[in-house]
Amino acid sequence: MVPSGVFCCCSPSASRLCVLWLHKCFAAYLGCNKWLFQSNLVFYQLESVSPFSSDLNRACLNMASGSEGAGNPPTKLQRPPNRLGLEKSSYLLQHAHNPVDWYPWGQEAFDKAKQEDKPIFLSVGYSTCHWCHVMERESFEDEEIGKILSDNFVCIKVDREERPDVDKVYMTFVQATSGGGGWPMSVWLTPDLRPFLGGTYFPPRDSGRRPGLKTVLARIMEQWVDNRDGLESSGERVLEALKKGTSIATNPGETPPPAPDVAYRCFAQLAHSYEEEYGGFRDSPKFPSPVNLMFLMSFWSVNRSSSEGAEALQMTLHTLRMMALGGIHDHVGQGFHRYSTDSSWHVPHFEKMLYDQAQLAVAYVTAYQVSGEQVFSDVAQDILLYVSRDLSDKSGGFYSAEDADSLPALGGTEKREGAFCVWTWLEIRELLPAVVDGATGGATEADIFMHHYGVKEQGNVDPEQDPHGELQGQNVLIVRYSVELTAARFALTVEKVSKLLASARAKMAEVRKSRPAPHLDTKMLASWNGLMLSGFARVGSVLDDKALLERAVHAARFLKEHLWDAERQIILHSCYRGDEMEVEQGVSPIAGFLDDYAFVICGLLDLYEATLETDWLRWAEELQERQDHLLWDAEGGGYYCSNPADPTILLRLKQDQDGAEPSPNSVSSLNLLRLSHYTGRKDWSQRSQQLLAAFSDRLTRVPIALPEMVRGSMANHYTPKQVVICGERDAPDTSVLLATVNSLFLPHKVLMLANGETEGYLYQRLPVLSSLTRLEGRATAYVCEDFTCALPVADPQELRTLLLA
C-alpha cells in the first residue's frame, strides 16, 4: 500500500491479477525478498496483495462517497489562467486557474526540466474523478503548496483519457511499487522521464501517521540534493524490471492454448468468484464487468446442453436482472452509474461513463436474444435513450462522461456526490400527493412509489456506505418488489401500477432538470465512440429499430469526418466541443492509440452487419491495415498500445486485461478473424492466431483476466459460420431472413448480403459469392463454413433451425 496515499476506486487498466507476479519479478530481478524503494524518502514494501483483498475493498468502499465535495473556491476564478487555459481537455481546464505553474505533457515541459535540472511532478486524472476534484481543491488550490511545486518542480498535468499511453506507463509503475493504484495519480520523475516515486491521492498536510503532500515534497527536494544518484538508479532499476515483467511475446513455433480448455478454466474462475445472492463477481464494490457477461453467454452458446453452460447463463441473467433493479441503474434519468459500493447494487458511485453504457447496451440486448425476456430489451433501449439525450453531440459524436458530484438542489458552494440523483422522503411525498382510486387504505401515488422503490423517511442509505454523511437522509431508488407484488399490496391492477410508476418517474425527471447539473465532459474519444457505435448498431439490428440504426450511421460519419486524418492516414484520438457547439481539435491533435483503431473497427463491422452498407466494411479494412502497419509487433506478436517509436513513452506495453474496457488486443483477435471472412485474407486469420499465441501464458494461467480474448480464442476454434443472404436489401423477403439471423445470439458468425452487384466490394474480394443465387427469385439464405455451404433455404423457420444446429 502507498503509505502516504489512498487507493481510488476508479480501477486502473493494468491487471491487479498480475500484481503478485510482478512483485516476484521485482524480487528476483533486484535480488531480494522484500524491496524497500528508497531508504530515506518514502518506504514502499512489496507484499503479496490479493486482487480481491478485503483491505482494498474497504479502501474502495471508503472512497466511494468521499470526504468532501468538489466545489471550487471563488478565488479560483479571479486568478489569471496558467498554460492549461489554452488546452481543450475538461480536466486540464479544471486546473487552469490553480496557483501551480502547470505544463501539459509535451516537449516544452521536458526541455524545462532538463535545462533547470529539476524533477518532474506528474499529476494524472480525469474530469469526472471525485478524488481528483478533492486533491485539486485541497492541494493545487493551496497557495503555499502551489509555490513549492512551481519553484522546485516542473509540474505536468495529464488527462488520462486524453493520453492513455502516458497513464498506462506510470500506472504500471505505481501498481508494481505500491500494490495498487488509481486516480488521481501522483508520480515524480527524473528530467529524462524515469519515475522514482509514485502514489495516488495525497492530503495536503500530515494527518496522523500519514504524511501530507507538503511533507512528501520537502522530502523529495531534500533527496534530490543529497541523494540524487540513489533516486536515479532506483528509477532505472524499476524501469528495467518493468520492461522484463510486462513483456508479452510468443516463442518461436508457439501456438495458442486449446480454446475449450481455456474457456472452461475461465468459466471455473468466474464461477468461483461469483456472488450468488445479487450476482456479480465480488462482494463489494461491484463493477458491471460486461466482458465477463459476454464471455459467459458465448460459453453457454457452445455448451447449451451441459450443466456448466446452464450455470453460465444463470449467472449472467441473474446479474443483469439485479443490476437493472439496483440503484446502480438510474431509474429516473436512465443509464448506469459507474459501480456499486455495496454487494446489492444499491448505492452507486454516481459517475456515468460512455464506455459503460456502450458495453452494457450490448450485454442487455444479447441477454434478450438469449432469453427472449422483454426486460432485457427494455434496459438496452433505456441506456441508449440516456446516451441519445445526455451524451450526444449534434455532430454525431458521443461525450465521455457525467460527473458524480454536483451542487445540492437547495443551495451550497460545495458539490456532493450523487446530489443530482438522490431524493428525500418529503420531496417525493410533496411531488406525488394524489390519492389513488381503489388503492388499499387510501394510498397516495407517493405511498405506492416509495413502497416499490424502497424509499424511507430517514433515507435508505446505510451509514456504512456513506461514511462522510453526504447521503444522510437521502434515498437511492432501488426496486424492492415486482410490479405484480406492488399491485397486490395495494389491491390494484398491474397495468395501473405500471402506468403510475412511469408517470411518477417522468415527474421526477422534470424536477431533476431544475437541479444543478453535474459536470459533463464533452471530450469525444475515437475509442469510446467506437464502443458506442457497436452499441447502437447491435441494439438497432436486434430490435429492427431504424432510428437507432440511423443514430449509428450518424456516429460513424462523425468518426470519419472529425477523427480520421485522411492525409496522414491515421485515426485521431480525440476532439472537443467548442464554445459555439462546433467540433474542435486541440493545438496538437493526438494520434490514435490501439484502442481507437480496434474499437472503431469493431464498431464498423457491427454497423455493416446492421446496415449491410459495404462502405463501412471497406473503411474497417483500411483501418485494420493502418493498425497493422503502425502497431503490430512483428517479432513477438500482438499489438502495442501506442506507437513504439515514441521516445517519451518508456514502456512498450500490450494491455493484458479486459477490465472496465476490453483490451484492444482482445478486440483485435476477433476483428482480424471477422475481416478475414469478409475479405478472403488468410493472413488476417493467421495474425489472429499469432496474437493469441503471444498471450498464451495469460490465457493459460489467468483467463479470467482476459474473458474477451477467450471469446476470440473460441471464435478461432469454432469456425465462424458465414451467413449469406441473397436478395435486395430492403425487400420484405430479405428483411424477414435478416430478422431471423438478428434474433439469435450467434457469437461465431459473419453476416453478409449478396445483392447480385458483381462489381461491388464483397464480390471483388469473395468471387465465390457469384455462385450463390436466389431460389425461384426469392431471397435465399446460405449458411457456410469456409464457403462450403449447406443447402440454401428461403423459409425463416428453416433458417433458424439451420443456424442453431
Side-chain angles (χ1 to χ4, degrees):
M1 294 286 182
V2 182
S4 56
V6 296
F7 293 127
C8 177
C9 273
C10 316
S11 290
S13 58
S15 171
R16 288 196 179 108
L17 287 167
C18 298
V19 167
L20 176 56
W21 172 76
L22 278 171
H23 288 177
K24 291 178 178 177
C25 290
F26 271 104
Y29 182 71
L30 297 172
C32 57
N33 292 323
K34 291 185 177 181
W35 179 50
L36 297 180
F37 178 72
Q38 179 59 43
S39 57
N40 296 314
L41 187 58
V42 178
F43 289 86
Y44 286 109
Q45 189 169 0
L46 299 183
E47 301 171 344
S48 299
V49 180
S50 164
F52 305 112
S53 78
S54 57
D55 289 341
L56 178 60
N57 288 353
R58 283 194 295 273
C60 288
L61 188 76
N62 292 336
M63 300 243 359
S65 294
S67 60
E68 299 176 74
N72 296 312
T75 55
K76 176 178 182 179
L77 298 179
Q78 296 169 4
R79 296 189 196 100
N82 54 42
R83 289 175 190 80
L84 301 186
L86 300 175
E87 297 297 309
K88 301 297 182 184
S89 157
S90 293
Y91 179 64
L92 299 190
L93 290 171
Q94 286 171 352
H95 295 76
H97 294 272
N98 294 161
V100 178
D101 189 18
W102 288 117
Y103 284 77
W105 179 267
Q107 197 60 47
E108 184 183 6
F110 309 152
D111 290 343
K112 178 180 172 67
K114 289 180 179 179
Q115 290 164 5
E116 299 183 7
D117 197 30
K118 288 181 178 178
I120 292 171
F121 171 58
L122 174 66
S123 177
V124 183
Y126 58 103
S127 76
T128 59
C129 164
H130 173 78
W131 280 85
C132 300
H133 299 329
V134 173
M135 191 166 178
E136 189 235 351
R137 181 176 52 77
E138 290 179 340
S139 295
F140 303 143
E141 281 294 306
D142 184 288
E143 296 283 352
E144 183 182 9
I145 291 176
K147 181 171 175 55
I148 294 171
L149 284 168
S150 301
D151 290 349
N152 298 281
F153 301 87
V154 174
C155 303
I156 299 178
K157 177 63 72 173
V158 166
D159 181 340
R160 67 167 295 264
E161 295 168 357
E162 197 176 55
R163 292 303 303 257
D165 54 338
V166 176
D167 177 66
K168 285 184 175 75
V169 167
Y170 296 106
M171 185 60 73
T172 300
F173 165 80
V174 169
Q175 285 197 304
T177 54
S178 70
W183 300 278
M185 177 170 63
S186 305
V187 191
W188 285 266
L189 323 175
T190 64
D192 58 358
L193 307 181
R194 264 67 176 165
F196 60 84
L197 176 68
T200 52
Y201 162 83
F202 290 86
R205 289 168 177 80
D206 299 351
S207 176
R209 298 180 61 188
R210 191 172 72 185
L213 180 61
K214 185 178 176 183
T215 298
V216 172
L217 294 175
R219 296 268 185 89
I220 294 173
M221 290 154 52
E222 176 186 322
Q223 290 295 306
W224 189 250
V225 174
D226 298 338
N227 190 29
R228 171 79 171 268
D229 290 344
L231 290 181
E232 292 182 338
S233 62
S234 293
E236 194 60 42
R237 288 200 306 273
V238 170
L239 201 60
E240 287 304 312
L242 285 174
K243 288 177 180 177
K244 292 178 181 291
T246 58
S247 175
I248 295 173
T250 185
N251 297 317
E254 188 174 12
T255 58
D261 294 348
V262 170
Y264 269 96
R265 189 173 296 112
C266 187
F267 162 75
Q269 291 176 349
L270 283 171
H272 180 72
S273 64
Y274 179 67
E275 196 275 293
E276 292 186 354
E277 185 173 6
Y278 294 101
F281 300 95
R282 62 191 299 171
D283 289 329
S284 64
K286 273 187 176 170
F287 289 81
S289 302
V291 288
N292 292 344
L293 304 174
M294 291 303 296
F295 161 73
L296 289 171
M297 287 187 280
S298 295
F299 181 83
W300 164 81
S301 74
V302 295
N303 295 280
R304 298 181 189 222
S305 60
S306 71
S307 59
E308 292 88 352
E311 184 179 355
L313 183 59
Q314 187 277 331
M315 289 162 57
T316 302
L317 299 184
H318 181 61
T319 297
L320 288 170
R321 286 190 193 99
M322 298 310 293
M323 284 169 51
L325 297 175
I328 191 175
H329 183 198
D330 187 343
H331 298 283
V332 171
Q334 295 80 47
F336 279 79
H337 300 295
R338 182 67 195 92
Y339 62 85
S340 172
T341 64
D342 56 76
S343 64
S344 62
W345 304 108
H346 179 200
V347 182
H349 173 49
F350 289 88
E351 176 183 22
K352 286 181 178 178
M353 307 299 297
L354 180 66
Y355 58 76
D356 281 328
Q357 316 308 321
Q359 295 174 86
L360 285 169
V362 172
Y364 272 99
V365 84
T366 303
Y368 171 66
Q369 288 177 299
V370 165
S371 69
E373 295 182 32
Q374 187 65 38
V375 61
F376 296 123
S377 167
D378 291 343
V379 175
Q381 293 177 87
D382 166 284
I383 293 169
L384 298 187
L385 171 61
Y386 162 70
V387 172
S388 297
R389 185 189 66 230
D390 293 348
L391 295 184
S392 285
D393 188 81
K394 65 180 182 179
S395 66
F398 299 107
Y399 303 139
S400 294
E402 265 194 319
D403 207 335
D405 300 357
S406 59
L407 292 170
L410 297 179
T413 59
E414 290 192 356
K415 295 181 180 180
R416 291 176 173 266
E417 181 163 6
F420 186 68
C421 301
V422 294
W423 303 87
T424 65
W425 178 87
L426 185 60
E427 281 180 299
I428 297 174
R429 177 71 61 195
E430 292 178 345
L431 182 64
L432 306 171
V435 175
V436 178
D437 291 341
T440 301
T444 64
E445 292 178 350
D447 291 324
I448 296 168
F449 184 90
M450 293 193 291
H451 172 82
H452 189 75
Y453 285 104
V455 175
K456 298 179 180 178
E457 186 170 3
Q458 69 275 22
N460 70 359
V461 177
D462 190 318
E464 289 188 8
Q465 307 307 127
D466 181 32
H468 304 290
E470 288 186 303
L471 302 175
Q472 187 174 0
Q474 302 288 339
N475 288 273
V476 178
L477 302 184
I478 179 171
V479 177
R480 290 300 189 192
Y481 304 95
S482 67
V483 178
E484 289 78 8
L485 284 174
T486 297
R489 165 70 177 77
F490 293 98
L492 299 170
T493 65
V494 169
E495 181 182 13
K496 186 167 186 175
V497 169
S498 296
K499 289 181 178 179
L500 183 152
L501 295 175
S503 173
R505 291 193 301 268
K507 291 176 184 177
M508 295 170 79
E510 286 300 313
V511 170
R512 278 209 345 201
K513 289 179 182 178
S514 66
R515 293 178 174 180
H519 162 69
L520 178 67
D521 188 335
T522 57
K523 175 172 66 266
M524 291 170 273
L525 302 176
S527 55
W528 296 0
N529 272 257
L531 290 174
M532 201 69 246
L533 173 57
S534 286
F536 274 91
R538 291 282 298 276
V539 177
S541 63
V542 171
L543 304 183
D544 194 22
D545 188 315
K546 297 296 188 292
L548 297 181
L549 294 178
E550 288 172 4
R551 183 65 185 88
V553 170
H554 195 196
R557 289 174 178 158
F558 157 81
L559 283 163
K560 193 156 192 179
E561 180 180 354
H562 296 288
L563 289 170
W564 171 241
D565 186 331
E567 182 177 346
R568 297 162 62 197
Q569 290 286 288
I570 60 169
I571 281 184
L572 300 175
H573 176 62
S574 56
C575 60
Y576 310 85
R577 187 181 76 184
D579 293 337
E580 303 299 322
M581 299 296 288
E582 76 281 16
V583 177
E584 295 182 336
Q585 267 296 341
V587 176
S588 300
I590 300 168
F593 305 106
L594 176 59
D595 53 357
D596 296 309
Y597 286 91
F599 297 171
V600 170
I601 290 167
C602 181
L604 292 172
L605 293 176
D606 289 336
L607 183 59
Y608 167 71
E609 292 203 355
T611 64
L612 300 171
E613 296 174 4
T614 55
D615 284 349
W616 306 123
L617 201 53
R618 191 191 309 272
W619 192 32
E621 180 184 11
E622 184 179 359
L623 291 180
Q624 187 64 60
E625 289 174 341
R626 295 302 295 158
Q627 177 183 318
D628 291 353
H629 175 72
L630 295 168
L631 300 166
W632 177 253
D633 178 7
E635 294 182 3
Y639 294 96
Y640 293 115
C641 291
S642 60
N643 184 354
D646 186 342
T648 68
I649 304 302
L650 304 183
L651 297 176
R652 301 201 300 175
L653 297 173
K654 301 172 186 174
Q655 189 175 335
D656 64 349
Q657 183 190 17
D658 295 320
E661 304 164 55
S663 160
N665 269 291
S666 298
V667 174
S668 292
S669 70
L670 282 160
N671 288 347
L672 289 164
L673 188 63
R674 294 171 75 183
L675 277 166
S676 72
H677 284 272
Y678 284 122
T679 63
R681 289 183 54 171
K682 298 296 184 184
D683 61 317
W684 273 342
S685 62
Q686 293 165 0
R687 181 155 289 187
S688 181
Q689 288 280 319
Q690 293 168 344
L691 187 159
L692 294 169
F695 288 82
S696 288
D697 181 61
R698 272 60 161 184
L699 288 170
T700 300
R701 293 189 303 109
V702 282
I704 191 176
L706 287 165
E708 185 71 8
M709 191 173 287
V710 178
R711 291 183 70 218
S713 176
M714 294 168 67
N716 273 273
H717 177 79
Y718 301 102
T719 306
K721 293 178 179 178
Q722 297 154 322
V723 183
V724 184
I725 308 296
C726 294
E728 296 297 328
R729 171 64 184 91
D730 296 320
D733 53 355
T734 302
S735 297
V736 170
L737 294 179
L738 290 171
T740 300
V741 178
N742 289 330
S743 70
L744 301 173
F745 176 51
L746 303 167
H748 311 133
K749 73 101 171 66
V750 292
L751 172 66
M752 59 188 81
L753 178 70
N755 58 7
E757 296 178 3
T758 56
E759 299 301 316
Y761 172 88
L762 277 177
Y763 281 87
Q764 292 298 304
R765 282 156 178 73
L766 302 171
V768 69
L769 291 180
S770 297
S771 66
L772 306 182
T773 59
R774 306 179 201 183
L775 292 177
E776 300 176 351
R778 294 183 296 164
T780 303
Y782 291 82
V783 179
C784 318
E785 289 187 10
D786 291 328
F787 286 104
T788 298
C789 303
L791 292 175
V793 296
D795 178 73
Q797 189 56 48
E798 290 180 14
L799 174 58
R800 180 183 178 87
T801 301
L802 193 58
L803 291 171
L804 292 176

